[in-house]
Amino acid sequence: MSYADAYKDCAWMDFETLEKFMIDSLMAVGINETDAKIIGDVLIESDKRGIDSHGIGRLKPIYIDRINIGIMDPVTNIEVLKDDMSTAVLDGHNGMGHVVGKKAMEMAIEKAKKYGTGMVAVRNSNHYGIAGYFATMATDAGMIGITGTNARPSIAPTFGVENMMGTNPLTFGIPTDDPFPFVLDCATSVTQRGKIEVYGRAGKELPPGWVIGHDGSTRTDTQQVLKDLTTGQAALTPLGGIGDQTGGYKGFGYAMVVEILSAALQDGAFMKELNGFDENHKPIPYPLGHFFIAIDPARFMGLEVFKRVAGTICRQIRESEKAPGEDRIYTAGEKEYEAFQYRSKHGCPVPPSLQKMMIELRDTYKLNYSFNFEKK
Ligand SMILES: NC(=O)c1ccc[n+]([C@@H]2O[C@H](COP(=O)([O-])OP(=O)(O)OC[C@H]3O[C@@H](n4cnc5c(N)ncnc54)[C@H](O)[C@@H]3O)[C@@H](O)[C@H]2O)c1
């Protein structure tokens, strides 16, 4: 989908109003101000970085609706189950994933400052938003950050059609001497549900190769796919795609790595146990697991050396010969940095479906807002 297509009909809203609206909406469903600010910060960061699938678009369906149907606790009580030098295990007690995630990465960074590396596993959590938020907490502290999370089962294994694994992002943040860090922040599937929702909101068919049906062939019917993904009648394809000719087994392997590291270190739920529905198809909590790793380059050859080499590698890649018809090579994190620069001036795009959702939330919770997209 072209840029113009994607943002056609959008209103543009400034960061501050959008973030404040998200915080106020979260507080209206029982989240305390401190936690609402953390969640608002993760969500607005997604919109700032141009990751439209995971910002304001997720506010109602993934957080507010789930709190309202009682499957996610707006009060986040974090319990430290184990804390042993460079490692720890936290229990989120079905609270807000962003809040537990932030605490866990803060602990991993503190441990890395003390011991060179830190790793924290989290159990009983919920959807934590963009994994890259936590990876850049580490890069902001001059550390390498790695994080992953399991999710509701949606990826089929290579040679399979059943949704077995979550979209399981495996995310790396690496400090560089460029104006922005290297941040590889993506799912281990070809695409993830949020992007399919973006296509759904735009009324577009999916590109082939993203979703596999039970007959083993690709599906492009966006609206039905969104329904079938929740009932298991369709599955996402692993990175590399359907079958093994284009290396689908590699994405499948990485998705399994994340599934194992997200669950096995904290004896947590995995795969079908994270379905989110009971046998009568009634929504139930699905206790997600995450892991957070921080590594201090200062303990190796020094932070400045690390940043210089990492930055040089990025620059040499970007400067290498382009394919015919292409004028740029990007390195991970660069598009998000550019989106941030653009949106800092112009604001974030809010499509009509999200405008409607914001009006609905405002009216439901009697929040004092009049939006720039409303007819006067
Ligand atoms: N919490 C969850 O359960 C969950 C699950 C899946 C995904 N997510 C989040 O969804 C977001 C989007 O995931 P996605 O899989 O759709 O990501 P994506 O396919 O949009 O890929 C994004 C990554 O690829 C890099 N990139 C994009 N184009 C590039 C290019 N031409 N050259 C080099 N690098 C390029 C970006 O810098 C970024 O690091 C992420 O923030 C992820 O953390 C969260």
Side-chain angles (χ1 to χ4, degrees):
M1 201 184 315
S2 74
Y3 198 83
D5 264 357
Y7 299 123
K8 179 165 69 74
D9 303 329
C10 284
W12 291 79
M13 284 186 73
D14 63 276
F15 295 164
E16 293 71 25
T17 311
L18 208 50
E19 181 175 8
K20 188 168 177 315
F21 178 75
M22 292 198 270
I23 293 170
D24 287 342
S25 303
L26 292 162
M27 286 171 67
V29 291
I31 297 177
N32 70 42
E33 188 176 354
T34 309
D35 290 356
K37 282 185 172 162
I38 293 172
I39 302 162
D41 193 41
V42 180
L43 295 180
I44 196 67
E45 193 60 34
S46 179
D47 288 312
K48 285 178 180 176
R49 293 183 192 186
I51 310 171
D52 294 324
S53 51
H54 278 66
I56 177 78
R58 287 288 171 101
L59 175 68
K60 184 174 181 294
I62 304 293
Y63 307 111
I64 290 181
D65 288 352
R66 289 182 184 173
I67 289 169
N68 283 338
I69 60 171
I71 64 166
M72 193 185 274
D73 196 339
V75 179
T76 306
N77 290 311
I78 302 174
E79 186 184 352
V80 180
L81 292 180
K82 291 190 94 176
D83 190 353
D84 182 12
M85 293 170 62
S86 66
T87 58
V89 182
L90 305 184
D91 192 321
H93 290 293
N94 196 34
M96 303 303 293
H98 322 76
V99 178
V100 197
K102 185 165 186 210
K103 164 87 180 163
M105 189 46 111
E106 278 167 1
M107 283 179 77
I109 291 168
E110 281 314 304
K111 287 173 180 298
K113 280 185 189 157
K114 245 184 174 163
Y115 304 111
T117 60
M119 179 165 189
V120 179
V122 170
R123 72 197 314 268
N124 283 329
S125 185
N126 276 299
H127 193 275
Y128 74 1
I130 52 166
Y133 181 90
F134 308 101
T136 49
M137 280 176 65
T139 57
D140 287 348
M143 305 261 171
I144 299 162
I146 305 172
T147 180
T149 176
N150 56 19
R152 276 207 327 218
S154 50
I155 301 185
T158 300
F159 300 146
V161 293
E162 195 178 346
N163 56 333
M164 294 300 294
M165 295 158 293
T167 45
N168 296 6
L170 179 57
T171 293
F172 295 79
I174 295 178
T176 71
D177 63 358
D178 274 330
F180 52 92
F182 176 94
V183 185
L184 181 61
D185 178 23
C186 48
T188 45
S189 47
V190 170
T191 194
Q192 35 83 17
R193 191 185 163 90
K195 237 177 224 174
I196 300 179
E197 287 165 5
V198 171
Y199 270 72
R201 288 196 287 270
K204 302 264 178 192
E205 290 249 301
L206 297 177
W210 285 16
V211 174
I212 186 167
H214 270 232
D215 64 356
S217 54
T218 190
R219 297 229 350 226
T220 57
D221 48 329
T222 314
Q223 299 301 344
Q224 193 57 38
V225 159
L226 282 167
K227 290 185 191 129
D228 290 352
L229 283 175
T230 54
T231 59
Q233 294 307 301
L236 298 177
T237 53
L239 275 177
I242 296 173
D244 64 356
Q245 278 196 331
T246 51
Y249 53 89
K250 299 183 192 181
F252 164 37
Y254 287 127
M256 280 195 70
V257 166
V258 175
E259 196 75 40
I260 293 167
L261 293 185
S262 297
L265 289 166
Q266 40 89 354
D267 192 15
F270 51 85
M271 299 201 296
K272 297 282 176 162
E273 293 166 346
L274 302 174
N275 222 350
F277 295 102
D278 68 10
E279 57 284 1
N280 302 316
H281 213 69
K282 188 173 156 282
I284 52 169
Y286 45 103
L288 299 184
H290 326 299
F291 60 90
F292 302 86
I293 301 170
I295 302 166
D296 186 2
R299 301 296 185 109
F300 294 79
M301 300 302 281
L303 178 60
E304 292 317 308
V305 172
F306 181 88
K307 284 165 75 168
R308 175 174 49 75
V309 175
T312 305
I313 291 171
C314 290
R315 287 185 290 277
Q316 287 188 11
I317 291 281
R318 291 196 295 266
E319 285 154 16
S320 63
E321 188 179 342
K322 318 292 177 281
E326 300 293 344
D327 55 9
R328 268 184 85 171
I329 292 170
Y330 294 86
T331 52
E334 194 177 8
K335 285 187 175 177
E336 288 73 17
Y337 175 71
E338 290 191 357
F340 175 73
Q341 308 280 87
Y342 182 85
R343 291 182 179 198
S344 299
K345 288 198 202 97
H346 302 275
C348 297
V350 182
S353 57
L354 293 183
Q355 295 171 21
K356 203 166 145 242
M357 177 275 282
M358 289 177 73
I359 290 171
E360 192 187 320
L361 285 178
R362 189 247 343 247
D363 293 349
T364 306
Y365 298 113
K366 304 196 173 12
L367 303 173
N368 187 18
Y369 284 84
S370 66
F371 301 117
N372 61 358
F373 49 76
E374 287 180 293
K375 292 203 174 65
K376 295 280 181 287

